[in-house]
Amino acid sequence: MPCHNQQVNTVSSGQEHPMKQVRFATSSSSNVSVPAVLSNSEPSDDNIQPVSLEDVGPQLKLLPLNDQIRELQTIIRDKTTSRGDFVFCADRLIRLVVEEGLNQLPYSECTVTTPTGYKYEGVKFERGNCGVSIMRSGEAMEQGLRDCCRSIRIGKILIQSDEETQKAKVYYAKFPPDVYRRKVLLMYPILSTGNTVIEAVRVLIEHRVQPKHIILLSLFSTPHGAKSIIQEFPDITILTTEVHPVAPTHFGQRYFGTD
């Protein structure tokens, strides 16, 4: 399984597994833009410019926008949505992001024998991955990861931003001892300014994790947040469902019922 808890043999073997490209997300077209769902309190469509993927870079990868994802985004953004429906739809969207995040992990080809004796050429994921959630809203994504990876180890980072300066400060960080040997799925559902994630990545780097081994799983992102993170760490990969100037920053409060 891609999320097996076994330690990686080594990262310094000289052979790097290339990061797989999302099958459906490309930035080759200058006409690619991300639509948005706006509430009455948000700016009107006339005041918002479409977001081009080329403005951010190939490190930003989007899930395919289909009717299912569009509806989940709509329900999460709707201020009249009940908390039960909010959590249900958020968990569904989280699962989709987690599944594609796992699909970005390195793999190797293998051959198995079927019950009928047929040799089947398939793939198996490399072992040695972990999750890291940025508390508190990032914890909402932990169950989705565990649903796919029963034994995966999950670290935690607690970061709070000053309300006036927006400067992020680390209060707590705990990771698996060999986190520097693993691919890291960093979980944070809403990217607004990007400051919190930038600080979290710095902490991981202090623990000898290379940015190219970090995949940031997010549900919603602003162009500013994505750009800030990629400018600071050009090798990081960001996976999200939507890039739009208005992010649903109420997500954590609604999900945990503290709004």
Side-chain angles (χ1 to χ4, degrees):
M1 293 180 63
C3 44
H4 196 282
N5 199 29
Q6 180 175 327
Q7 176 177 313
V8 176
N9 293 332
T10 179
V11 174
S12 58
S13 61
Q15 293 183 354
E16 290 291 344
H17 294 282
M19 183 67 66
K20 289 190 294 180
Q21 297 296 317
V22 176
R23 300 179 302 275
F24 40 75
T26 63
S27 57
S28 58
S29 174
S30 60
N31 295 325
V32 175
S33 60
V34 182
V37 179
L38 303 177
S39 69
N40 292 334
S41 61
E42 296 171 342
S44 65
D45 292 339
D46 295 336
N47 298 326
I48 294 180
Q49 299 297 323
V51 181
S52 172
L53 297 183
E54 289 185 340
D55 294 338
V56 182
Q59 299 91 334
L60 176 67
K61 304 179 186 301
L62 295 175
L63 266 68
L65 185 62
N66 53 40
D67 290 342
Q68 177 183 206
I69 290 179
R70 195 77 172 100
E71 182 188 34
L72 295 175
Q73 293 172 341
T74 302
I75 294 173
I76 290 172
R77 285 184 177 272
D78 188 353
K79 66 179 181 180
T80 65
T81 299
S82 67
R83 180 172 178 267
D85 289 343
F86 184 95
V87 173
F88 178 79
C89 292
D91 286 342
R92 286 184 60 196
L93 194 58
I94 288 170
R95 179 65 178 265
L96 294 173
V97 173
V98 167
E99 292 280 9
E100 186 55 48
L102 296 175
N103 193 44
Q104 300 303 299
L105 298 176
Y107 66 93
S108 59
E109 296 181 352
C110 67
T111 302
V112 298
T113 303
T114 68
T116 60
Y118 179 77
K119 298 294 184 181
Y120 180 81
E121 301 293 333
V123 299
K124 62 179 180 179
F125 284 86
E126 299 296 328
R127 297 177 175 178
N129 307 290
C130 71
V132 173
S133 64
I134 302 177
M135 302 162 66
R136 177 183 186 198
S137 59
E139 293 177 305
M141 305 181 73
E142 290 183 4
Q143 188 59 49
L145 181 58
R146 286 197 174 98
D147 287 343
C148 301
C149 311
R150 291 178 297 176
S151 62
I152 193 168
R153 295 187 179 184
I154 297 180
K156 293 180 181 290
I157 306 178
L158 175 59
I159 299 175
Q160 291 185 347
S161 300
D162 186 275
E163 295 183 356
E164 295 182 358
T165 65
Q166 295 298 312
K167 186 176 181 180
K169 182 178 180 180
V170 179
Y171 287 88
Y172 175 83
K174 185 68 173 179
F175 310 118
D178 60 345
V179 64
Y180 62 94
R181 296 178 180 269
R182 300 173 180 266
K183 300 287 186 179
V184 177
L185 297 173
L186 184 61
M187 298 174 286
Y188 196 60
I190 308 299
L191 302 182
S192 183
T193 64
N195 293 340
T196 299
V197 171
I198 289 174
E199 195 62 34
V201 175
R202 287 173 179 165
V203 174
L204 288 169
I205 292 176
E206 291 174 359
H207 286 75
R208 296 188 290 167
V209 177
Q210 300 181 47
K212 65 182 178 180
H213 292 159
I214 300 174
I215 302 174
L216 175 60
L217 305 182
S218 176
L219 303 185
F220 301 91
S221 174
T222 65
H224 173 74
K227 283 184 180 180
S228 298
I229 296 169
I230 292 175
Q231 287 176 356
E232 188 75 18
F233 308 106
D235 294 329
I236 197 172
T237 298
I238 300 177
L239 181 63
T240 187
T241 73
E242 184 180 54
V243 178
H244 187 272
V246 180
T249 54
H250 64 285
F251 181 90
Q253 289 82 4
R254 287 298 304 276
Y255 190 93
F256 292 106
T258 57
D259 52 340

